[in-house]
Amino acid sequence: MDLVRMTRLWRDSRALRRREWQDPGAYRDLVTARLRDVVHLAATRVPHYRELFREAGVRPDDVHGPEDLAALPITTNRALRDLPREAVTVDGSDFDALYDKWSSGSTGVTLHTWVTPHERDVQALNALRVFHAGGYRARDVLLDLLEPYAPKPRAIERLGLYRKHYIELKEDLADHTDAINRMRPDVVLASATLLDLLCDHAESGALTVRPRLVFNTGERIAPRQRERAKALLGTAPIDVYGASEFGPIAFQCAERDGYHINADGLIVDIVDPATGRPVPPGTVGQVVITGLLGRVMPFIRYSVGDLAALRPGRCACGRGLPLLESVQGRLIDMLLTADGTKVSPWGPTIVLEETPGVDRYQLVQDAPGALLVRIEGGPVDEADVTARLRALLGGTLAVRFEYPDSLTAEGRHKFRLVVNRCAPPSTGA
Ligand SMILES: [Zn+2]
């Protein structure tokens, strides 16, 4: 790592730690300056936003602060997904020099997000802020169950700092319980369904680890899942609310009560879905985010597909970062093989994420060992997708494909990426 990058990271991390405890009023000028920069960049150099600003009759200079954002329309991952990358990124971007992150978020629509190496560093620093707030220490061994592909170890791990182990998202945890026992992780990073599977293995005696901290991210966790994890893994999970477009958005601290918003890196608006206007604290609304740091692919008034409410007042921990009351993130169910074995839904979601021609998808299970794949877009290579799903869910898996014109949420309920109708739902409070 070069000296310039290290110095910059050091400076950024000190500033992040300082602002964590400050009242947001103390860095309001910083937020305003960052917002004006990103709005100006988007409105002048990103074709998608140039068009949006023009249609809304808003000039970049009209946006003086966060309160002026409401004049702009809300944009969705669906809208961005349908556009070529040149339309959603700063003109002249050199894609070979950028990182591509992808995820379907809550909505089943795969979106590629382009970030600079520096932006990736800053997202990593934000993740560190989140972990430290929960009680993570530099000497801890962290087991990360959420990466589709495990990255190489970083240089810092050779010093015994920030050591990480991975079990890739598409792997079956049942095959790795011995390895996890040997790792003896202090900290586990997982999602609600994966925590449920870990609890199953702890209950059967296959898993014997008692991590000091467990972080849940990427899915809404039900109260009974939380209680079960506390009983079987020895610690109550700490929720982190994030999206691949931004990294961590809001997080529980060790108090596990409310979610601190990373308010120096993004602006979270909670709005009425019908009008786009802000709702009062305590009222559940649509989460709309404006990223303050994106310099390649800005996100302005971007709906991540989740619901949440703002909470007035301060957390008992003393941090100044403002709070969300609740986050109703992604709802995702466990899948079942023909013999009733529970399988993480994440492997199958990666299969769909990586299938060309899929605009949006949903996985529905009505019987163990059977799967309905609903795809907007397509048609896809069904034999190939079936073979890849069978590798995860058993060789006898019966797969049906359906190509509806549009996949939308059922009634007033949130869109469910993976729905299991044949077992008691594994999530949903
Ligand atoms: Zn707190």
Side-chain angles (χ1 to χ4, degrees):
M1 188 186 289
D2 64 83
L3 196 62
V4 175
R5 183 175 163 214
M6 244 165 75
T7 312
R8 197 171 178 186
L9 276 173
W10 171 246
R11 205 190 51 210
D12 285 349
S13 99
R14 281 178 60 110
L16 274 175
R17 267 182 288 166
R18 190 179 59 243
R19 289 193 297 267
E20 191 172 328
W21 301 92
Q22 285 177 329
D23 186 89
Y27 51 87
R28 194 188 146 78
D29 287 351
L30 173 82
V31 167
T32 302
R34 284 179 168 178
L35 175 64
R36 291 171 68 153
D37 278 354
V38 79
V39 161
H40 201 270
L41 185 76
T44 56
R45 294 192 51 199
V46 180
H48 167 67
Y49 287 105
R50 206 153 48 204
E51 186 69 10
L52 276 188
F53 274 74
R54 198 185 53 75
E55 281 171 13
V58 177
R59 289 169 304 142
D61 291 342
D62 296 337
V63 178
H64 301 285
E67 58 287 344
D68 298 324
L69 282 172
L72 292 168
I74 290 169
T75 200
T76 61
N77 69 337
R78 182 57 186 268
L80 299 185
R81 162 71 171 75
D82 287 345
L83 295 166
R85 64 186 188 183
E86 288 76 12
V88 295
T89 50
V90 166
D91 53 26
S93 290
D94 172 10
F95 292 97
D96 291 337
L98 300 173
Y99 290 104
D100 173 14
K101 303 171 68 186
W102 53 264
S103 160
S104 67
S106 285
T107 54
V109 181
T110 307
L111 179 72
H112 293 265
T113 305
W114 298 93
V115 294
T116 64
H118 177 65
E119 284 167 38
R120 205 174 75 140
D121 283 348
V122 171
Q123 287 194 5
L125 287 181
N126 261 312
L128 262 187
R129 166 195 264 180
V130 168
F131 291 148
H132 282 308
Y136 176 57
R137 302 170 195 149
R139 297 248 167 226
D140 283 340
V141 172
L142 186 147
L143 169 61
D144 184 339
L145 302 177
L146 294 174
E147 288 295 331
Y149 302 100
K152 288 195 196 80
R154 297 150 304 158
I156 197 166
E157 297 184 50
R158 286 203 292 271
L159 305 173
L161 297 173
Y162 300 110
R163 283 166 294 167
K164 268 191 165 189
H165 294 297
Y166 296 89
I167 292 174
E168 293 180 353
L169 198 47
K170 57 189 180 297
E171 293 291 316
D172 186 345
L173 285 181
D175 298 335
H176 296 276
T177 51
D178 289 345
I180 297 173
N181 290 335
R182 282 196 301 275
M183 285 173 203
R184 300 168 58 87
D186 303 293
V187 181
V188 174
L189 179 59
S191 63
T193 43
L194 294 172
L195 284 176
D196 246 6
L197 287 172
L198 286 179
C199 286
D200 288 353
H201 297 308
E203 208 163 35
S204 75
L207 199 72
T208 56
V209 292
R210 304 283 276 185
R212 195 180 77 252
L213 293 170
V214 170
F215 289 97
N216 164 60
T217 189
E219 290 174 46
R220 189 200 300 189
I221 188 166
R224 70 182 164 72
Q225 286 177 306
R226 188 183 297 282
E227 286 308 311
R228 188 163 180 252
K230 189 177 173 187
L232 289 162
L233 302 175
T235 180
I238 295 177
D239 280 356
V240 179
Y241 171 50
S244 68
E245 296 90 325
F246 302 100
I249 296 167
F251 58 95
Q252 288 186 331
C253 63
E255 299 285 331
R256 296 167 174 78
D257 181 26
Y259 297 74
H260 291 281
I261 299 169
N262 278 322
D264 46 355
L266 39 85
I267 294 169
V268 175
D269 286 312
I270 306 296
V271 306
D272 182 327
T275 63
R277 307 299 303 182
V279 296
T283 304
V284 173
Q286 187 181 1
V287 180
V288 172
I289 297 181
T290 300
L292 296 172
L293 303 171
R295 289 296 177 270
V296 171
M297 183 165 174
F299 290 95
I300 294 176
R301 294 269 284 165
Y302 176 73
S303 167
V304 283
D306 297 320
L307 301 172
L310 290 166
R311 179 203 275 197
R314 260 179 121 105
C315 178
C317 72
R319 280 181 181 77
L321 294 172
L323 295 167
L324 290 178
E325 172 66 50
S326 58
V327 179
Q328 297 173 21
R330 170 159 43 193
L331 288 169
I332 192 158
D333 289 341
M334 204 78 79
L335 294 172
L336 300 170
T337 62
D339 66 5
T341 307
K342 283 196 267 178
V343 177
S344 159
W346 288 103
T349 67
I350 292 173
V351 170
L352 272 296
E353 303 272 347
E354 293 180 340
T355 299
V358 175
D359 287 337
R360 186 175 187 175
Y361 68 92
Q362 184 180 43
L363 302 175
V364 181
Q365 186 161 52
D366 284 315
L371 194 64
L372 170 62
V373 180
R374 307 182 73 214
I375 294 174
E376 232 184 277
V380 299
D381 183 343
E382 295 186 359
D384 175 63
V385 173
T386 300
R388 295 174 66 200
L389 289 172
R390 281 181 177 158
L392 297 164
L393 290 162
T396 60
L397 181 77
V399 185
R400 282 189 301 130
F401 290 84
E402 202 176 271
Y403 298 94
D405 287 339
S406 96
L407 272 171
T408 49
E410 295 167 31
R412 292 177 54 80
H413 299 291
K414 212 171 128 52
F415 177 77
R416 297 178 77 104
L417 190 63
V418 180
V419 187
N420 189 334
R421 297 198 179 113
C422 56
S426 58
T427 59

